[in-house]
Amino acid sequence: MSEGTRYTVSVRALCEFTAKQGDLDLRFTPTPTAQEGMAGHAVVASRRGESYQREVALAGEHGPLLVRGRADGYDPTRTLLEEVKTYRGQLASVPDNHRHLHWAQLRVYGHLLCQKEGLDSVNLALLYFDIGSQEETRFEENRSRAELAAIFAQQCERFMAWAEQELAHRGQRDTALQALRFPYGDFRPGQRQLAEAVFRAQASRRNLLAQAPTGIGKTLGTLFPALKAAPSQQLDKILFLAAKTPGRQLALDALASLKGDTGLPLRVLELSARDKACAYPERLCRGDSCPLAQGFYDRLPAARAACLEAPLLDRQVVREIALQHQVCPYYLGSEMTRWSDVIVGDYNYWFDGGAMLYAMAQAHDWRVSVLADEAHNLVARARSMYSAQLHRAGLRAARAVAPPVVAKALEKLGRTWSATGKKALLPYQVLESIPPKLVDALSASVSAISEHLAQVAVPLEPPLRDFYFEAMAFVRLAESFGPHSLLDITREDERNTVLSIRNVVPAPFLGPRFAQAHATTLFSATLAPWHYFADLLGMPQDTAWIDVESPFQASQLEVRVAADISTRWQGRAASVAPICALMARQYHERPGNYLAFFSSFDYLQQVRDAFERAHPDIPVWQQSRRMSEADRDAFLARFAVGGQGIGFAVLGGSFGEGVDLPGERLIGAFVATLGLPQVNPVNEQLRLRMDALFGTGYDYTYLYPGMQKVVQAAGRVIRTESDRGTVWLIDQRFAQPRVQALLPDWWVVEGQEVDVRPDQLV
């Protein structure tokens, strides 16, 4: 390292790098939750004297290394430094390599304390606290200042070469990013406006909602300015998050174009789900079961070094390197998040309750910029992240295979559940609050299963395991229950009820994510109206908003409304023949490839069957339920240059967004629905809650989500400045001014506007 440079590392990160050894041991054990861990630390501290100091901030240097962290507790009257670890059940279940790591951390803290306080020696206590029994088990030693200094120096020296490499990489990366030029000479129309807005957001540490038309290159238009801002804003990581695989691939392609042949020293990592990355899905994640877990930490350094030599770490490259070095691909990818500059993955890595990247950013004090693609999906995705369900049938199945000590707790839960259900006599009913007795019974059941797991070495039976995970999720959400969510009971029949916590407004959960990031940019072709997303996602008050000017002209797209057709459920049968006639007429006027979108598979099938009978000369193909990736590829392959026919698809499905069919591959679309969510008891409760919170229940529950799907689907038609096409909006409600106000500004709708009452939209 050059003189004057400094590398900052936490005690935890230092020891995890230098002191972890042996097997990867991730057998499922009922480890305490974060909340239980904090409560356990508080119990330990409450048992100490008045002089006891909690969360002692410590720091020290070794050459250019700055090592810092917080020790759990220190009693100056006894010169005793404690490191507290919480667990459940048998202490013997804590693997030896974990204990080795715990001692390494404690001894580093001991050295830093001796430096700070000028001590000649210190008493060290590694304390394990059992969450269930509330008992403490202590292991103590006394170390001299000289001994601890030697241990600290040894740890730092082992890390030094890596730190030097990381500092050199960071310097080279930032120098190269400062000189980085846009790879295509000039921006597309609209792309520069987007890029400038993203750069300003990074520079001012503000969040940004960016609505930008499909086809202008949003991926590159957000990544490029974020990378350019990284040196001046001292960004550690850029996280590019997407809802679906195609969005992640677009990011990888854009980053590859930025790197080009210039040798840009930029480390790019793609994260993949555990079930897709696992090489031995039938094995347990522990050394005595999986060969890639055995000796994982001993082989990790070589695999980690090999990863740094790869030009791009997509999931296939990570897998190949992992198998070459005989380590787990998934956990190698997790390790490389520490050493990557740009990380591409799913929303859940940052926004979920147990989000890995969010937790690591907190633990390592990373400065991150978050870019969320197709962000109109984030409301629905975040709601699902903070919702949970319990089925009475699942409880019965769990009780049938539970050991006696667990069955007793589950039986009590069943009685409490029945008492709760008696108060909800309707098929569907919302409860104002979560009954305390129900939460207590659920918590007791979770604890009983946890204690059982801690005492035995065999896995749970699948029905008990599934109920356990569902119950833990339900209890966690019950602890934070509030106006942002609903608790309801659905009665399926005399024996079966379903308890649900349904998140309505994710804002309270996502707010800390926006606060943790240096800047967050949410972008999509459909982010209007902006207040809908700002309200539901909890965007900060100073969030910036930009509606990027479209590069497309009204003359490129003929937008027509079929105001004489109703696609409401009541009149759906009568709509089939007119829709078929309209589609055939448009096809014969301009033969080519078209997409036709419908509100459901049943409606799609009705129209397709009638269309084939009436017009057998026109080729058709359709989306089916649960299509495989190969089937989806085959569906899209039908949209070939020079091809002709109509592909039938469901609005809001795989082909309604993220599909790029430029030029002759797609010349038109029929949208035979407003895409409004189904009117049912659950959505009506959402509407009432939205009304109470924002005064816009109908729009927030039905109109805005539906029209976002319509605009996304129609956006498949015009992809470049040379495209020409036609979009038919099939329903009389598309003629209403308040509906047309939600369409892109550059569209010019042909047809008469018709005033429709809000209640007639449903």
Side-chain angles (χ1 to χ4, degrees):
M1 297 179 201
S2 61
E3 190 172 343
T5 59
R6 172 180 285 180
Y7 190 97
T8 302
V9 62
S10 68
V11 171
R12 175 179 171 180
L14 173 70
C15 294
E16 285 182 343
F17 189 92
T18 59
K20 269 193 170 181
Q21 59 185 30
D23 296 349
L24 183 68
D25 193 338
L26 292 162
R27 68 189 79 190
F28 179 76
T29 54
T31 55
T33 64
Q35 191 169 11
E36 288 175 328
M38 289 187 289
H41 281 71
V43 170
V44 171
S46 69
R47 295 173 177 176
R48 305 299 184 255
E50 293 183 1
S51 62
Y52 189 76
Q53 302 170 15
R54 293 184 61 185
E55 296 290 318
V56 182
L58 297 169
E61 297 180 354
H62 181 86
L65 281 185
L66 173 62
V67 182
R68 63 187 184 188
R70 291 182 178 274
D72 289 329
Y74 175 56
D75 184 353
T77 63
R78 302 171 57 196
T79 320
L80 177 66
L81 186 68
E82 291 186 324
E83 178 74 5
V84 180
K85 302 296 181 183
T86 56
Y87 73 103
R88 283 186 180 278
Q90 297 179 336
L91 184 58
S93 65
V94 179
D96 288 340
N97 58 353
H98 287 203
R99 298 193 195 200
H100 180 78
L101 175 63
H102 299 159
W103 273 116
Q105 291 175 328
L106 178 56
R107 288 163 184 159
V108 169
Y109 282 129
H111 164 73
L112 298 178
L113 181 69
C114 286
Q115 273 196 325
K116 179 180 180 180
E117 302 293 336
L119 304 175
D120 292 328
S121 65
V122 64
N123 297 309
L124 303 177
L126 180 57
L127 188 150
Y128 290 96
F129 181 79
D130 188 336
I131 291 294
S133 68
Q134 303 280 289
E135 293 182 356
E136 301 176 20
T137 303
R138 304 172 63 83
F139 300 92
E140 295 190 20
E141 67 177 26
N142 178 274
R143 291 277 186 167
S144 70
R145 178 173 183 158
E147 287 178 306
L148 293 173
I151 292 171
F152 178 72
Q154 182 184 42
Q155 297 284 75
C156 290
E157 288 298 325
R158 292 182 63 187
F159 186 74
M160 192 78 76
W162 187 267
E164 289 176 347
Q165 171 185 278
E166 289 303 291
L167 273 176
H169 166 74
R170 181 64 170 262
Q172 293 165 2
R173 183 203 77 171
D174 287 352
T175 299
L177 290 179
Q178 287 171 336
L180 183 65
R181 294 291 179 264
F182 196 69
Y184 299 114
D186 199 5
F187 293 89
R188 297 182 190 177
Q191 195 178 40
R192 178 180 291 279
Q193 185 185 4
L194 173 62
E196 289 175 349
V198 173
F199 187 86
R200 288 194 299 270
Q202 306 296 317
S204 59
R205 294 201 63 175
R206 293 179 68 187
N207 296 285
L208 173 66
L209 279 168
Q211 179 168 271
T214 296
I216 69 165
K218 293 190 292 292
T219 303
L220 194 56
T222 52
L223 275 168
F224 177 74
L227 288 168
K228 289 294 292 182
S232 61
Q233 300 305 309
Q234 299 182 331
L235 297 179
D236 297 305
K237 315 281 179 190
I238 293 173
L239 312 182
F240 188 98
L241 309 176
K244 299 175 182 177
T245 301
R248 298 193 287 277
Q249 187 58 51
L250 285 173
L252 294 172
D253 293 342
L255 289 160
S257 71
L258 284 169
K259 288 170 70 77
D261 299 324
T262 63
L264 177 68
L266 188 71
R267 298 176 183 165
V268 177
L269 169 70
E270 180 189 14
L271 290 175
S272 58
R274 182 171 174 174
D275 59 341
K276 293 182 178 179
C278 185
Y280 295 97
E282 75 284 359
R283 306 287 184 93
L284 300 176
C285 291
R286 48 196 253 194
D288 60 358
S289 176
C290 178
L292 302 185
Q294 188 176 41
F296 175 86
Y297 291 108
D298 302 327
R299 293 192 291 271
L300 177 60
R304 184 168 52 208
C307 283
L308 297 190
E309 298 299 319
L312 188 146
L313 286 172
D314 62 19
R315 57 183 178 181
Q316 184 59 37
V317 172
V318 171
R319 183 180 182 85
E320 290 172 359
I321 292 174
L323 296 182
Q324 286 171 5
H325 291 82
Q326 285 296 288
V327 296
C328 172
Y330 176 75
Y331 287 101
L332 177 60
S334 299
E335 168 68 18
M336 294 312 298
T337 60
R338 301 170 185 262
W339 319 112
S340 298
D341 303 309
V342 182
I343 301 170
V344 178
D346 187 85
Y347 291 159
N348 65 285
Y349 285 107
W350 184 258
F351 293 109
D352 189 74
M356 178 183 74
L357 292 177
Y358 174 65
M360 294 183 75
Q362 288 182 305
H364 302 295
D365 199 25
W366 289 340
R367 181 173 291 191
V368 302
S369 174
V370 178
L371 307 174
D373 188 17
E374 301 292 1
H376 61 278
N377 290 297
L378 190 53
V379 171
R381 283 288 302 275
R383 281 175 171 167
S384 67
M385 292 174 190
Y386 297 99
S387 298
Q389 279 193 340
L390 289 174
H391 294 257
R392 188 62 186 265
L395 172 60
R396 284 198 297 273
R399 190 172 56 193
V401 298
V405 66
V406 173
K408 185 176 180 181
L410 296 180
E411 288 167 4
K412 183 177 180 180
L413 172 59
R415 292 192 295 271
T416 307
W417 193 327
S418 296
T420 301
K422 289 178 182 177
K423 299 175 184 178
L425 302 178
L426 301 176
Y428 175 84
Q429 188 165 331
V430 172
L431 303 183
E432 292 184 3
S433 60
I434 301 179
K437 290 184 179 179
L438 178 64
V439 177
D440 291 343
L442 268 172
S443 298
S445 297
V446 169
S447 295
I449 300 172
S450 296
E451 296 300 330
H452 168 70
L453 265 176
Q455 301 298 326
V456 300
V458 296
L460 296 173
E461 293 288 339
L464 183 59
R465 176 201 61 207
D466 294 344
F467 183 79
Y468 180 45
F469 290 145
E470 291 164 359
M472 283 195 293
F474 200 97
V475 169
R476 282 197 297 270
L477 290 175
E479 294 172 351
S480 58
F481 186 75
H484 51 71
S485 299
L486 298 170
L487 172 70
D488 59 44
I489 298 181
T490 303
R491 185 175 297 281
E492 297 178 330
D493 53 44
E494 287 299 318
R495 297 190 68 206
N496 294 310
T497 56
V498 181
L499 285 168
S500 302
I501 294 177
R502 302 181 194 271
N503 179 250
V504 179
V505 181
F509 300 105
L510 301 191
R513 270 70 178 164
F514 295 124
Q516 177 68 34
H518 174 83
T520 300
T521 297
L522 307 184
F523 60 100
S524 169
T526 48
L527 281 183
W530 68 269
H531 57 79
Y532 168 81
F533 293 95
D535 286 345
L536 296 188
L537 298 178
M539 304 294 290
Q541 289 288 328
D542 65 345
T543 296
W545 158 257
I546 183 174
D547 190 357
V548 176
E549 185 177 345
S550 174
F552 308 130
Q553 304 298 317
S555 59
Q556 292 181 247
L557 183 66
E558 183 183 18
V559 183
R560 307 184 69 179
V561 173
D564 56 342
I565 299 176
S566 171
T567 62
R568 292 184 180 88
W569 184 83
Q570 298 92 330
R572 192 157 292 169
S575 73
V576 172
I579 290 174
C580 290
L582 184 155
M583 292 169 59
R585 184 172 66 250
Q586 173 63 39
Y587 179 86
H588 287 302
E589 286 178 5
R590 188 187 175 196
N593 292 321
Y594 290 83
L595 264 170
F597 293 97
F598 299 88
S599 56
S600 68
F601 281 105
D602 290 340
Y603 194 16
L604 178 156
Q605 196 64 54
Q606 289 179 45
V607 178
R608 181 199 164 145
D609 291 345
F611 190 87
E612 283 191 300
R613 288 194 300 269
H615 307 284
D617 57 312
I618 301 177
V620 297
W621 57 97
Q622 75 174 69
Q623 176 184 1
S624 59
R625 290 181 170 90
R626 295 177 291 277
M627 291 180 84
S628 67
E629 191 168 336
D631 290 338
R632 289 195 294 270
D633 291 342
F635 180 92
L636 293 174
R638 295 288 298 268
F639 294 89
V641 174
Q644 294 184 354
I646 301 175
F648 286 68
V650 173
L651 192 69
S654 302
F655 307 109
E657 61 180 76
V659 171
D660 195 22
L661 300 170
E664 293 182 19
R665 294 191 66 192
L666 183 68
I667 64 168
F670 308 95
V671 184
T673 170
L674 263 70
L676 305 180
Q678 184 183 28
V679 177
N680 57 36
V682 173
N683 283 334
E684 281 298 280
Q685 287 297 326
L686 261 64
R687 181 182 63 80
L688 292 173
R689 182 60 56 88
M690 294 290 198
D691 250 338
L693 292 173
F694 307 114
T696 53
Y698 175 80
D699 289 351
Y700 275 30
T701 305
Y702 296 105
L703 184 58
Y704 296 160
M707 289 302 295
Q708 286 157 17
K709 295 177 186 176
V710 170
V711 174
Q712 281 286 330
R716 302 310 98 203
V717 178
I718 302 299
R719 308 296 295 177
T720 73
E721 294 171 73
S722 61
D723 286 355
R724 297 289 186 273
T726 302
V727 167
W728 275 96
L729 304 177
I730 305 173
D731 191 280
Q732 59 189 206
R733 291 166 290 181
F734 281 119
Q736 188 195 22
R738 70 190 295 247
V739 172
Q740 292 191 9
L742 298 173
L743 300 176
D745 291 340
W746 66 277
W747 288 13
V748 175
V749 181
E750 298 180 17
Q752 183 181 2
E753 292 185 349
V754 180
D755 285 325
V756 181
R757 297 195 313 271
D759 61 331
Q760 291 179 309
L761 281 168
V762 179

